[in-house]
């Protein structure tokens, strides 16, 4: 392959991935068909097989890209000297990404009709504790951002417990609340945050040793950061 054709090939790969993401969000997982994705990318059906080998590999690439963007979103804010504040800002970014990209979010976490793509690690029957998305390397890297802020909270004496297990508990809370919100179980607007996610997060942190007033102050500080970023 010539040096001139390599950029063109890379560009077509990205166009196919982006076309797949756009179709997924607009029309759902059933829209991810080679013919439709190729047409949306301005190519022929053969392009899917040339650049990915087939739809399964393209779906896996879409998941990887979705996790990459997810990681960028939850890590976008500059860290402060207050890890609990940073944790709340990260949680806000997590929920915002999921609600803005529901089909993508469901696919990322294996909750879509297209979830049986290559690279998903089977952990059934394993005796090892695995915390974090095991779907892709990018997904695992994204989870490490949560691990990092949890580690800071523990290091500063705000909460206690094994780092990865605490991160898994926090992730379970946020992930579960977001999924229920996506299903419409908590109504519309920000009721899920005000009545469920926010108080449950405070309860969890306080239960792991955090000071209630300090958590409240950190939450207020996070709200100011988010308001300034709008």
């Amino acid at each position: 392959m010539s040096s001139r054709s390599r950029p063109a090939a890379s560009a077509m790969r990205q166009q196919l991935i982006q076309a797949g993401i756009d179709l997924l969000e607009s029309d759902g997982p059933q829209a991810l068909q080679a013919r439709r994705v190729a047409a949306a990318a301005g190519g022929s059906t053969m392009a899917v097989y040339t650049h990915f080998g087939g739809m399964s590999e393209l779906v896996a690439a879409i998941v990887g890209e979705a996790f990459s963007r997810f990681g960028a979103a939850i890590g976008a804010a500059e860290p402060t000297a207050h890890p609990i504040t940073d944790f709340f800002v990260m949680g806000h970014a997590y929920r915002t990404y999921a609600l803005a990209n529901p089909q993508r979010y469901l696919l990322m976490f294996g909750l879509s009709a297209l979830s049986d793509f290559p690279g998903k690690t089977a952990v059934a029957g394993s005796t090892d504790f695995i915390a974090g998305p095991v779907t892709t390397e990018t997904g695992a890297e994204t989870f490490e951002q949560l691990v990092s802020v949890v580690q800071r909270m523990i290091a500063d004496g705000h909460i206690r417990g094994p780092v990865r297990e605490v991160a898994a508990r926090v992730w379970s809370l946020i992930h579960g609340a977001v999924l229920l919100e996506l299903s419409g179980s908590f109504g519309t607007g920000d009721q899920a945050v005000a009545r469920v996610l926010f108080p449950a997060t405070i309860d969890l942190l306080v239960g792991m040793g955090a000071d209630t007033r300090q958590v409240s102050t950190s939450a207020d500080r996070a709200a100011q950061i988010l308001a300034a970023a709008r």
Side-chain angles (χ1 to χ4, degrees), residues 83-85 87-88 150 153 158-160 166 170 173 198-212 215-216 218:
I84 299 179
T85 295
F87 168 73
F88 277 116
V150 166
M153 288 193 288
H158 298 302
I159 59 176
R160 58 183 178 272
V166 170
V170 173
L173 171 61
F198 182 64
T201 301
I202 291 178
D203 290 344
L204 180 61
L205 293 177
V206 171
M208 291 189 291
D211 179 78
T212 304
V215 172
S216 180
S218 294

Side-chain angles (χ1 to χ4, degrees), residues 123-128:
V123 296
S126 172
T127 58
D128 296 328

